[in-house]
Amino acid sequence: MNFTKMQGTGNDYIYVNCFEETVEDPAALAVKLSDRHFGIGGDGLILICPSDVADFKMRMFNADGSEGRMCGNGTRCIGKYVYDRRLTGKTELTLETLSGIKTLCLSVEDGTVKTVRVDMGAPVLRAADIPVICDTPEFVDQSVTAGDKTYRMTCVSMGNPHAVTFVEDVASLELPRIGPPLENHPMFPQRANIEFVQPVDNQTLKMRVWERGSGETLACGTGACASLVAAVFNGKCRRRARVILLGGELDIEWNEQSGRVYLTGPAEFVFDGEI
Ligand SMILES: N[C@H](CCC[C@H](N)C(=O)O)C(=O)O
């Protein structure tokens, strides 16, 4: 089977073109191939599939084999893949995901995609829809105790669940220790992606992420969107900001008129291979 390794701000996935390949058990394949010692190595597996309702369809699997409902960095890489590999000549695409149809706008230079702007849709804050188990309609700036610590968290869904907490210094955090108790907290019946955000100024956020099913990744597109929304809700930044991640930078805008979040960033090929 042919595969392509790609990365968006360091969030690296193994991509399989399911117009040409058939993947019988994607969950098991994601676990096997994501292993950075015994497999190809990646944050998970992404299938590029035909769609009856959009130009293409994405299925995304975390490194633990769980299927995610949306992947911002992954959508940008799919945009680059399908344009550069001539599966389409369009620079405005629709992509079917488990969290609805997303629109991608490809910026092309010298015949290849450099950056992609993704309409990520409107954020969801209703607790029951994230989902978060709590006794309030939304979960904004409320306490969560996990392990030996209590955090002030704001929960947002971008089609997948996120819990955002604001910190003084992201660099000092030990995510492998503090991430799992939050990811698996009983208040998150479907687990959650956990973002640690250090506001730099009202247009710049630093962020690290402990991802549901993949652990710490160098970037998380949906997490950057959730972080921006949470920062606006908590009065920590304007509706458009640069999010600085370990793997690079993303431009996130929560548009006031439309209420929709836009994610803009790079996408890169790493290598092609066959297994
Ligand atoms: N890295 C992805 C998010 C993966 C989310 C996944 N960990 C889950 O929701 O289970 C992104 O760029 O949006």
Side-chain angles (χ1 to χ4, degrees):
M1 179 171 68
N2 293 308
F3 70 87
T4 299
K5 190 78 193 298
M6 300 186 78
Q7 60 85 9
T9 48
N11 192 197
D12 61 329
Y13 291 92
I14 297 133
Y15 292 76
V16 176
N17 177 353
C18 290
F19 288 79
E20 296 173 359
E21 307 285 354
T22 301
V23 176
E24 297 299 335
D25 184 350
L29 190 66
V31 174
K32 179 170 181 272
L33 299 188
S34 300
D35 190 299
R36 294 188 188 277
H37 299 286
F38 299 100
I40 297 165
D43 291 328
L45 171 71
I46 292 183
L47 307 183
I48 305 170
C49 311
S51 169
D52 297 330
V53 297
D55 294 311
F56 298 94
K57 176 179 176 181
M58 171 176 75
R59 290 192 72 188
M60 176 264 170
F61 296 82
N62 294 304
D64 70 352
S66 59
E67 184 165 8
R69 298 176 54 81
M70 183 47 198
C71 179
N73 290 314
T75 57
R76 300 200 315 275
C77 288
I78 289 178
K80 180 173 181 66
Y81 183 102
V82 297
Y83 184 88
D84 286 15
R85 302 282 163 100
R86 304 286 182 268
L87 276 73
T88 182
K90 295 164 65 172
T91 56
E92 181 126 349
L93 298 173
T94 54
L95 183 65
E96 178 189 354
T97 76
L98 286 180
S99 68
I101 295 175
K102 311 298 176 184
T103 302
L104 283 59
C105 187
L106 313 181
S107 296
V108 177
E109 281 175 40
D110 306 325
T112 181
V113 172
K114 291 292 179 215
T115 58
V116 181
R117 185 173 191 256
V118 187
D119 176 349
M120 301 287 282
V124 170
L125 286 115
R126 184 168 172 270
D129 296 334
I130 293 177
V132 176
I133 297 171
C134 60
D135 53 11
T136 51
E138 296 178 341
F139 200 91
V140 176
D141 191 28
Q142 296 187 43
S143 294
V144 177
T145 300
D148 56 356
K149 231 170 145 308
T150 297
Y151 305 82
R152 303 291 296 186
M153 304 203 95
T154 295
C155 294
V156 181
S157 171
M158 292 304 303
N160 53 3
H162 295 270
V164 180
T165 187
F166 296 97
V167 298
E168 290 294 317
D169 175 19
V170 284
S172 63
L173 300 176
E174 291 175 71
L175 264 58
R177 182 173 63 80
I178 62 177
L182 286 165
E183 171 196 358
N184 298 289
H185 195 284
M187 69 187 286
F188 304 125
Q190 295 174 12
R191 300 187 290 168
N193 299 285
I194 313 296
E195 283 81 24
F196 303 87
V197 181
Q198 175 186 339
V200 175
D201 60 39
N202 68 2
Q203 297 178 87
T204 312
L205 302 172
K206 276 187 181 175
M207 184 196 116
R208 285 175 67 190
V209 58
W210 181 265
E211 278 200 31
R212 173 177 64 171
S214 292
E216 180 164 20
T217 62
L218 298 188
C220 180
T222 50
C225 295
S227 297
L228 184 278
V229 170
V232 171
F233 250 92
N234 287 277
K236 295 184 183 293
C237 90
R238 294 166 64 172
R239 297 180 75 97
R240 180 165 188 177
R242 184 165 59 105
V243 179
I244 301 171
L245 305 128
L246 295 179
E249 296 186 9
L250 293 172
D251 170 0
I252 313 290
E253 177 193 3
W254 184 15
N255 186 279
E256 188 134 29
Q257 285 65 44
S258 68
R260 302 174 79 83
V261 180
Y262 297 91
L263 157 67
T264 304
E268 301 287 343
F269 288 113
V270 182
F271 64 88
D272 288 308
E274 190 176 358
I275 48 171

